[in-house]
Amino acid sequence: MVALDVGGTWLKGAALARDGTALTSLSRSTGAADGPEAVIEHILDALVEVRDHPATGQPAAVGLAVPGIVDVAAGRAVWSENLRWKDVPIRALAEERTGLPVALMHDVRAGGLAESQVGAAAGHANVLFVPIGTGVAAAIIVDGRILDGQGMAGELGHVDVGHTEPCACGGAGCLEAIASAAAIARRYSARSGIQVTGAADVLARKQAGDPDAGEVWAQAVDALALALAIACSLLAPEVIVLGGGLAQAGPELFKPLSAGLSHRLTFQRHPRLVPATLGDRAGCIGAGMMAQALIDKRAETGG
Amino acid sequence: MVALDVGGTWLKGAALARDGTALTSLSRSTGAADGPEAVIEHILDALVEVRDHPATGQPAAVGLAVPGIVDVAAGRAVWSENLRWKDVPIRALAEERTGLPVALMHDVRAGGLAESQVGAAAGHANVLFVPIGTGVAAAIIVDGRILDGQGMAGELGHVDVGHTEPCACGGAGCLEAIASAAAIARRYSARSGIQVTGAADVLARKQAGDPDAGEVWAQAVDALALALAIACSLLAPEVIVLGGGLAQAGPELFKPLSAGLSHRLTFQRHPRLVPATLGDRAGCIGAGMMAQALIDKRAETGG
């Protein structure tokens, strides 16, 4: 299969064997600054380039993961703030350009599918995959199936965790506005007057004993514990996989977050909290799995 | 089919035609005060009575909805506080007594299935069914499938909505501890020193201008709006169906709750908020639908 994960910054492509082995891979700028038309061209060019690579062989399908709101049934990229596109018939465009059937998927759900099947939560039917970076997103797997909700399920970043800071969505109190990597950096700078490059910088200052950094970090962890506990009540995950930049923090994140989550849960299932294992290839691997599922389904129905 | 919904207080049984029409029905005390052994006998007796009723004809299967934690795959009633039973192999017992295949289901999920297919949310694939009575529960339907989570999904009543009152679960801040019908009555009595019979009594006092009643009611509605908004972020329901005793409150509940929910949602899908239409027969109707699904599945696989 040909697989491509379209991120706000990078296109990650690969040709994958049936068992998921990468035969060749590609990584390049999405070119979001050039506007949505250019992004679409870059996507289609990348798909053709992977399709035509000598190592790819004869691919049977394409898996394409895109960000924002995605209407999988209609094959349309409805909206993406990062890519500034709106209602793009991306599946039809990709099928036309590649001559192959295309499985379209939301990027976070593609990553969640991969982590739940061949990554950190392999073997589990009830999984929450939470990438934390510029924002906070979630892919929800229950009873072995990934929730779509017509492209709108999984907005963990906009769960109200009870603070008063405004969120880019227009609301207030959102998890993302206090616990994303970007929010941690922004809130530390606002509090201390010191500009930082990101959440890793805040963590380093916390470890060096900066009380502002310690407070901002603790507030983020508390908010995450609350939001994850809520998700546990509603969805009963066996495993919660944390991904994205913030998951790189290791024990400084996982230890207090596990403790906070355990403290908040009573009769609910207590999930294992683990870091993602597929890194920034998760979306691409998930897209490949969707392409394989499309091939299998067509073989089954003779279509 | 033979269908039975086992509640904490009532057994609601029926023989249902393939189209869901009730051929005969039964309603009697669960007899929870007599202990779990007696409850099991009452359930098995009720199943046989409906099976043998002349109007029932030749039933092909039984649908059985039970409360608490239910392991559908293993056919076991794992735990119920109300019925005081623990790890009862209820499906095998019912199959043995009736000589019919038995579909076992959780009572709230059975009710949600019925409301989402033939009740208040018929025609929608993304539905939240929230019965509010002694507690607050939820059945979650996403992409046309009801979430199970190995019997543990849907604990909306134990979402932390940010108050400090203790909950029967051992935690604090739970929705159920401030917004169930029982909590509304309890909190009003604690605040005013006046004993009331239930939430309907509190509502009547609110309408008569009692400020304590007004405050307790408003706090319950605010907490429900917060919890439902969180569920909307995660699950994107098109319709939220409110059931149980509290939904009888009509516009006094639905009007401020709809306004509070709309106020809290930004880019998320805004669901319609509607009262349940199947009343206390929802669980029984859902159980019948599960029995029919079992028959259809066996016919398909030739089993």
Side-chain angles (χ1 to χ4, degrees):
Chain A
M1 294 84 64
V2 171
L4 186 72
D5 179 22
V6 179
T9 310
W10 297 101
L11 294 178
K12 303 265 178 188
L16 301 167
R18 204 190 153 85
D19 67 359
T21 313
L23 305 169
T24 175
S25 68
L26 165 157
S27 184
R28 72 172 55 141
S29 169
T30 302
D34 305 333
E37 299 294 325
V39 168
I40 294 167
E41 276 310 304
H42 295 155
I43 291 169
L44 300 177
D45 288 349
L47 289 175
V48 167
E49 190 175 320
V50 175
R51 181 198 67 183
D52 293 343
H53 190 282
T56 301
Q58 294 289 327
V62 169
L64 180 60
V66 302
I69 296 177
V70 185
D71 184 339
V72 167
R76 300 180 89 90
V78 177
W79 183 76
S80 163
E81 193 183 337
N82 287 332
L83 304 183
R84 291 184 285 144
W85 66 19
K86 213 179 154 179
D87 201 30
V88 178
I90 191 70
R91 186 172 64 203
L93 292 173
E95 288 184 338
E96 189 184 37
R97 184 72 70 92
T98 62
L100 294 169
V102 173
L104 180 67
M105 199 172 194
H106 181 254
D107 59 349
V108 176
R109 283 188 269 283
L113 183 71
E115 289 288 356
S116 72
Q117 295 206 0
V118 299
H124 294 282
N126 298 283
V127 177
L128 195 64
F129 170 58
V130 183
I132 309 175
T134 313
V136 178
I140 304 169
I141 293 100
V142 181
D143 308 329
R145 292 195 180 93
I146 196 151
L147 306 193
D148 184 65
Q150 293 163 320
M152 288 176 276
E155 294 289 355
L156 184 71
H158 300 280
V159 160
D160 185 345
V161 291
H163 62 81
T164 54
E165 294 197 28
C167 178
C169 77
C174 295
L175 174 65
E176 183 166 301
I178 194 168
S180 69
I184 290 171
R186 186 184 65 241
R187 295 183 79 240
Y188 174 76
S189 291
R191 189 185 174 108
S192 67
I194 300 166
Q195 291 308 307
V196 288
T197 54
D201 197 352
V202 178
L203 177 57
R205 285 162 191 269
K206 170 191 176 294
Q207 289 170 320
D210 179 335
D212 285 326
E215 186 62 24
V216 165
W217 190 265
Q219 288 171 352
V221 169
D222 281 353
L224 280 168
L226 171 56
L228 294 180
I230 288 171
C232 288
S233 288
L234 291 173
L235 304 164
E238 299 155 83
V239 182
I240 296 177
V241 180
L242 299 185
L246 203 70
Q248 307 291 325
E252 288 279 3
L253 175 67
F254 283 83
K255 221 176 139 185
L257 185 53
S258 286
L261 184 56
S262 282
H263 177 72
R264 287 178 170 280
L265 297 176
T266 57
F267 69 98
Q268 298 95 332
R269 173 149 60 192
H270 289 231
R272 278 196 305 126
L273 198 64
V274 299
T277 58
L278 302 175
D280 63 3
R281 306 303 298 185
C284 185
I285 293 167
M289 294 169 69
M290 287 305 294
Q292 186 61 53
L294 182 64
I295 296 166
D296 293 346
K297 195 177 162 194
R298 292 199 172 195
E300 214 173 79
T301 58
Chain B
M1 296 82 65
V2 171
L4 187 72
D5 178 23
V6 178
T9 310
W10 297 100
L11 295 178
K12 303 265 177 188
L16 300 168
R18 204 192 152 83
D19 68 0
T21 312
L23 304 169
T24 177
S25 69
L26 166 157
S27 183
R28 72 173 53 140
S29 168
T30 303
D34 305 333
E37 299 294 326
V39 167
I40 293 166
E41 276 310 304
H42 296 156
I43 290 169
L44 300 177
D45 288 348
L47 289 174
V48 167
E49 191 175 319
V50 175
R51 181 198 66 185
D52 293 344
H53 191 281
T56 301
Q58 295 288 327
V62 169
L64 181 59
V66 302
I69 296 178
V70 186
D71 185 339
V72 167
R76 300 180 90 91
V78 177
W79 183 77
S80 162
E81 193 183 338
N82 287 330
L83 305 183
R84 290 183 286 146
W85 67 18
K86 212 178 154 181
D87 201 28
V88 179
I90 191 69
R91 185 172 65 201
L93 292 172
E95 288 185 337
E96 188 183 37
R97 185 71 70 91
T98 62
L100 294 169
V102 173
L104 180 67
M105 198 173 194
H106 181 255
D107 59 349
V108 176
R109 283 188 269 282
L113 184 69
E115 289 287 356
S116 71
Q117 295 207 358
V118 298
H124 294 282
N126 298 283
V127 177
L128 196 64
F129 170 57
V130 183
I132 310 175
T134 313
V136 178
I140 304 168
I141 293 100
V142 182
D143 307 330
R145 292 196 179 93
I146 196 150
L147 305 194
D148 186 64
Q150 292 162 321
M152 288 176 276
E155 294 288 355
L156 184 70
H158 299 280
V159 160
D160 185 344
V161 291
H163 61 82
T164 53
E165 294 197 28
C167 178
C169 78
C174 295
L175 174 66
E176 184 166 299
I178 194 168
S180 70
I184 290 171
R186 186 184 66 242
R187 296 183 79 240
Y188 173 77
S189 291
R191 188 183 175 110
S192 67
I194 300 166
Q195 290 309 306
V196 288
T197 53
D201 197 351
V202 178
L203 177 56
R205 285 163 190 269
K206 169 191 178 293
Q207 289 170 319
D210 178 336
D212 285 327
E215 186 62 25
V216 165
W217 190 265
Q219 288 171 351
V221 169
D222 280 354
L224 281 168
L226 171 55
L228 293 181
I230 288 171
C232 287
S233 288
L234 290 174
L235 304 163
E238 298 155 84
V239 182
I240 297 177
V241 180
L242 299 185
L246 202 70
Q248 308 292 323
E252 289 278 3
L253 175 65
F254 283 82
K255 223 176 136 185
L257 185 52
S258 286
L261 184 56
S262 281
H263 177 72
R264 287 179 170 280
L265 298 176
T266 56
F267 69 98
Q268 298 94 334
R269 173 149 59 192
H270 289 231
R272 277 197 306 127
L273 198 65
V274 299
T277 57
L278 302 175
D280 63 2
R281 308 302 300 185
C284 186
I285 293 168
M289 294 168 70
M290 289 304 295
Q292 186 62 52
L294 183 63
I295 297 168
D296 293 347
K297 194 177 164 194
R298 292 200 173 195
E300 214 173 79
T301 58

